[in-house]
Amino acid sequence: MCGICCVVALSGQSTVYDHFNEDLHCLLRRRGPDSSQQLIKTVCEPSYECLFSGHVLHLRGQMTPQPLEDVNNNVFLWNGEVFNGVHVGDSENDTEVMFHHLGLCSSEADILSLFSSLRGPWSFIYYQASGHSLWFGRDYFGRRSLLWQFSNVNDNVFCLSSVSVNSESCNQCQEVPASGIFKMDLKDCATTQSLSLTLFPWKYNCTEKTEEEIFIDVLGQISKDLPNHITVRMNESKMCLSAPVTPLNRTISEASVEHASTDSSDSSCTVSIQTLEGYLAEERKKILVHQFIDVLDEAVRKRVLLLFRGEDQGTREVEGVCPRKARVAVLFSGGVDSMVIAALADRHVPLEEPIDLLNVAFMTKEPTKRTGATKSCVSQEMQLNLHHGQENHKDLNAEIGDDLSRFDVPDRITGRAGLKELEALNPSRTWNFVEINVTLKELKEMRQQFIHNLIYPLDTVLDDSIGCAIWFASRGQGFINKKGEMKPYKSPAKVVLTGIGADEQLAGYSRHRVCFKKCGPEGLNKELEMELGRISSRNLGRDDRIIGDHGKEARFPFMDEDVVSFLNSLPISEKADLTLPRGIGEKLILRLGAKELGLTAASILPKRAVQFGSRIAKLESNNEKAYHTCSRLKLLQ
């Protein structure tokens, strides 16, 4: 994982350093703490200048500083992981492998074929010296952040970066749309003193529109958010990248339609393990569930094993000589998404290596009363014999004294219950349940110092709540239980697994129930298609910036191309049944998978969004709507 940046100046009025300041450099270095380099390319005829800045988090193969430059003066910046499609040997670094393959490309079609073949998250910047071309883009789902920023009409400066500074003195930056790969002809732009981009879009397989209509729609979506003096056009040959996933199955059975007309989610139907067992008694359903477990298991395997496990770069400690440290962490609420990911990671992470379970809680305004959602969580724990006493926390924070019940938020309670299940599943594993407790004072300080820059250019109350929760969780700084005492702990794991994508594909949100009730299965299908289509701009770029700020890499098993293709191949009725109550109907196939993995308690826990489970949504204001612009993200002068 890396922080990458490129600044292009097309006129003598501005230099690349006018748009590459120390604040941006600092943000990029936080993403890539293991190596930082810069390279300047100055071309006299036509006249332009490019600054390339690369900051590397070393995760696989040999340490490979960026930017890379070859004998032909091509330059490459890469922020990604090749999990499949292009062979990367165990001792190889995927940045070098990708640069080598790009050097072999003799045409635009070759470049498109290369990126179409990739499986895994990526964003990249590639300067092709012979054609004065700058290529850049993000993967199909936008799992790696890349932002663009355009100067005013007269300056003709263009900036690409993994992260940006939220500054009133700078022009607005935006996320590069995950609509395809872009190419900038620097010779043409320098000659005309204008900024023009050429798009090579993803070819969307499932659509009733003609190719021409698709191109018009994509260009329209991109252009509407750009300054008027920036031109985006389709490539003249109408060449496309091949989408890496299968089309969404829109099949709806008559039984599903009839079933949808009777909403039993509000009926007396109770949430129970027996309901899941009834589904699993059907042989066809059980086979389908195991197919899903297998494809998700492979996605997790790649994400926990494609990771450097040798000499520790920071301490120079050699594995096998010193006690093992955790290399993999899970953003962990105890809910079904994070429980399944943790259980599957346990299959592949070396047994002697701990797995860190990162559980975040924001201090409530007063001691937690076990009512509502919290009461329900506790009730469920007791039913499943998972409830256990309060650990002995000591010397946490002078601000809260001994009153740690103020951190007994719903996600903390279900997290502890989930820990017990995982310990029962594999008692030989060291499971580090990291209790990350955040006070209002620290929240405000870290938001002003770091987080507001990382959420930018997003700006809603929802982005603030989720972004802050993920930032503190992925930092991994909290307490773990050591022989009955709570000891300070900072997770050393460089890879952080997260369950994003499960709700979007398996109808996990409450809005999906509303849609299903109003529009039935057809409406729900359209909603889920829309969810996946916007996940790059709504979730993944933000989460990559947030987690990357700690020198860690976010990995998204539910967004693996094979997982998405498998789920897309199923009719909606196989994935979710929203006529069933919460805790069963949403993400039904995942709950059945959890039950088969031995995760009994987690399999019937209702969905609870992180902003509510961690209680950050209740910490500062109770009168906001999720879609409101968040005043707390504005700069404090």
Side-chain angles (χ1 to χ4, degrees):
M1 203 276 302
C2 306
I4 60 176
C5 179
C6 174
V7 182
V8 180
L10 296 171
S11 69
Q13 296 181 17
S14 295
T15 70
V16 288
Y17 283 109
D18 292 334
H19 294 263
F20 186 77
N21 57 37
E22 186 55 38
D23 289 340
L24 176 57
H25 188 246
C26 179
L27 285 171
L28 290 165
R29 286 197 66 174
R30 287 174 64 85
R31 290 179 62 87
D34 296 327
S35 169
S36 292
Q37 288 189 162
Q38 287 178 197
L39 174 67
I40 298 281
K41 281 285 181 186
T42 303
V43 178
C44 296
E45 186 58 42
S47 177
Y48 63 84
E49 187 177 43
C50 299
L51 178 149
F52 300 93
S53 187
H55 308 264
V56 177
L57 175 70
H58 179 219
L59 288 174
R60 64 194 289 194
Q62 295 298 312
M63 164 67 83
T64 306
Q66 295 191 43
L68 292 180
E69 184 179 19
D70 65 16
V71 293
N72 297 315
N73 297 315
N74 300 317
V75 180
F76 186 49
L77 289 165
W78 171 255
N79 176 29
E81 296 291 343
V82 177
F83 290 136
N84 220 329
V86 171
H87 177 72
V88 181
D90 292 341
S91 61
E92 291 183 306
N93 181 276
D94 58 345
T95 307
E96 287 186 323
V97 171
M98 282 298 300
F99 194 33
H100 170 73
H101 279 279
L102 279 169
L104 298 176
C105 293
S106 59
S107 66
E108 292 178 340
D110 288 344
I111 292 177
L112 297 186
S113 177
L114 173 62
F115 282 98
S116 293
S117 70
L118 294 183
R119 298 296 178 265
W122 49 264
S123 63
F124 79 99
I125 301 168
Y126 176 53
Y127 171 69
Q128 198 173 30
S130 61
H132 299 283
S133 302
L134 188 72
W135 294 79
F136 61 92
R138 302 163 71 194
D139 71 75
Y140 186 78
F141 298 118
R143 289 165 290 186
R144 291 290 172 260
S145 172
L146 192 63
L147 308 174
W148 58 20
Q149 190 172 30
F150 301 92
S151 66
N152 57 41
V153 179
N154 298 320
D155 285 344
N156 281 328
V157 176
F158 174 58
C159 180
L160 291 164
S161 182
S162 299
V163 65
S164 187
V165 179
N166 184 2
S167 170
E168 290 180 347
S169 63
C170 294
N171 292 323
Q172 174 77 23
C173 83
Q174 298 165 342
E175 289 185 302
V176 173
S179 306
I181 287 177
F182 295 86
K183 177 186 176 183
M184 177 182 280
D185 185 329
L186 298 179
K187 182 178 181 179
D188 181 61
C189 290
T191 302
T192 61
Q193 285 295 292
S194 62
L195 290 171
S196 178
L197 304 172
T198 300
L199 173 65
F200 298 84
W202 293 104
K203 186 174 182 180
Y204 299 95
N205 295 319
C206 59
T207 179
E208 296 160 0
K209 297 180 180 178
T210 65
E211 196 170 72
E212 193 66 33
E213 287 173 327
I214 295 169
F215 290 159
I216 292 170
D217 284 353
V218 171
L219 286 177
Q221 285 295 317
I222 295 172
S223 299
K224 71 179 178 63
D225 294 323
L226 293 178
N228 291 331
H229 64 283
I230 308 300
T231 303
V232 182
R233 58 174 177 256
M234 193 64 59
N235 69 89
E236 291 181 359
S237 302
K238 301 292 177 68
M239 290 188 291
C240 298
L241 298 125
S242 298
V245 295
T246 59
L248 181 70
N249 185 337
R250 300 176 184 226
T251 304
I252 296 168
S253 66
E254 290 184 16
S256 296
V257 175
E258 291 173 11
H259 210 33
S261 63
T262 58
D263 179 14
S264 62
S265 60
D266 298 320
S267 73
S268 58
C269 180
T270 57
V271 175
S272 71
I273 296 298
Q274 286 70 34
T275 308
L276 296 181
E277 289 173 345
Y279 277 98
L280 291 168
E282 302 174 28
E283 187 63 24
R284 186 191 60 82
K285 177 70 78 174
K286 190 164 186 171
I287 290 172
L288 198 65
V289 168
H290 278 269
Q291 289 174 341
F292 175 49
I293 293 173
D294 288 345
V295 72
L296 184 59
D297 178 66
E298 175 60 16
V300 171
R301 185 195 68 80
K302 288 182 288 192
R303 284 159 177 78
V304 301
L305 288 187
L306 290 181
L307 175 62
F308 182 77
R309 285 181 165 87
E311 185 183 86
D312 187 284
Q313 293 295 305
T315 64
R316 299 298 177 188
E317 293 175 349
V318 180
E319 293 289 11
V321 177
C322 300
R324 286 283 184 120
K325 294 180 179 179
R327 302 286 184 184
V328 173
V330 182
L331 294 185
F332 189 76
S333 66
V336 66
D337 308 348
S338 60
M339 285 290 288
V340 167
I341 288 175
L344 294 178
D346 176 54
R347 291 179 168 187
H348 305 291
V349 172
L351 187 57
E352 64 274 16
E353 191 176 294
I355 294 177
D356 286 349
L357 308 174
L358 308 178
N359 182 272
V360 66
F362 290 83
M363 186 174 68
T364 55
K365 293 178 181 178
E366 54 188 46
T368 304
K369 296 177 182 178
R370 289 185 168 168
T371 58
T374 308
K375 198 172 186 178
S376 171
C377 293
V378 175
S379 172
Q380 228 162 5
E381 284 182 58
M382 295 185 71
Q383 288 172 20
L384 296 157
N385 298 315
L386 292 170
H387 189 61
H388 61 98
Q390 185 83 13
E391 283 89 352
N392 179 30
H393 297 64
K394 292 183 179 180
D395 304 323
L396 172 63
N397 191 313
E399 184 179 344
I400 59 171
D402 295 326
D403 190 9
L404 289 176
S405 67
R406 295 179 74 173
F407 294 106
D408 276 352
V409 301
D411 278 1
R412 178 60 47 80
I413 294 167
T414 54
R416 289 175 185 152
L419 172 65
K420 290 294 183 184
E421 277 206 291
L422 292 172
E423 288 175 334
L425 201 66
N426 187 357
S428 300
R429 167 80 62 193
T430 297
W431 298 96
N432 289 328
F433 181 70
V434 189
E435 298 194 10
I436 298 159
N437 299 326
V438 186
T439 63
L440 179 58
K441 178 183 177 184
E442 187 179 20
L443 170 62
K444 289 181 175 180
E445 288 175 352
M446 294 300 103
R447 179 193 283 122
Q448 182 178 358
Q449 190 172 352
F450 298 112
I451 303 171
H452 79 281
N453 281 322
L454 306 169
I455 293 173
Y456 179 73
L458 304 183
D459 62 359
T460 68
V461 170
L462 183 66
D463 291 313
D464 176 60
S465 294
I466 296 176
C468 289
I470 292 176
W471 190 87
F472 281 104
S474 57
R475 183 175 67 166
Q477 186 172 310
F479 295 82
I480 60 174
N481 192 324
K482 286 279 190 180
K483 298 179 180 178
E485 284 195 50
M486 299 305 289
K487 299 289 187 181
Y489 180 78
K490 177 79 179 283
S491 173
K494 286 187 175 182
V495 165
V496 178
L497 302 178
T498 166
I500 188 72
D503 293 302
E504 287 78 3
Q505 296 179 79
L506 301 176
Y509 294 121
S510 56
R511 62 177 175 267
H512 295 143
R513 286 191 175 273
V514 174
C515 176
F516 180 74
K517 197 169 184 178
K518 286 182 178 178
C519 307
E522 278 191 9
L524 181 58
N525 255 339
K526 289 179 181 177
E527 185 79 6
L528 295 182
E529 187 176 24
M530 181 267 291
E531 293 273 11
L532 209 55
R534 70 181 184 182
I535 199 168
S536 62
S537 59
R538 189 177 174 104
N539 305 89
L540 296 177
R542 176 199 66 206
D543 292 356
D544 176 68
R545 293 190 295 277
I546 291 286
I547 295 172
D549 188 57
H550 302 297
K552 299 173 186 286
E553 179 171 279
R555 293 186 175 177
F556 312 102
F558 285 104
M559 296 307 303
D560 180 88
E561 288 87 351
D562 290 341
V563 172
V564 175
S565 287
F566 177 80
L567 291 175
N568 274 358
S569 72
L570 303 179
I572 184 62
S573 58
E574 299 285 10
K575 295 182 282 192
D577 183 353
L578 299 190
T579 65
L580 295 174
R582 289 182 69 239
I584 291 285
E586 74 278 13
K587 300 187 283 196
L588 177 59
I589 192 172
L590 181 61
R591 296 181 184 283
L592 294 169
K595 177 65 176 65
E596 286 295 272
L597 290 170
L599 304 173
T600 307
S603 66
I604 56 172
L605 276 180
K607 163 67 185 176
R608 188 173 52 244
V610 64
Q611 65 269 30
F612 302 118
S614 68
R615 283 296 187 258
I616 188 174
K618 300 290 185 182
L619 195 54
E620 293 173 284
S621 175
N622 293 324
N623 302 316
E624 300 170 318
K625 299 293 185 184
Y627 56 84
H628 286 167
T629 299
C630 182
S631 60
R632 294 181 294 281
L633 291 175
K634 294 187 181 298
L635 298 177
L636 301 176
Q637 303 297 330

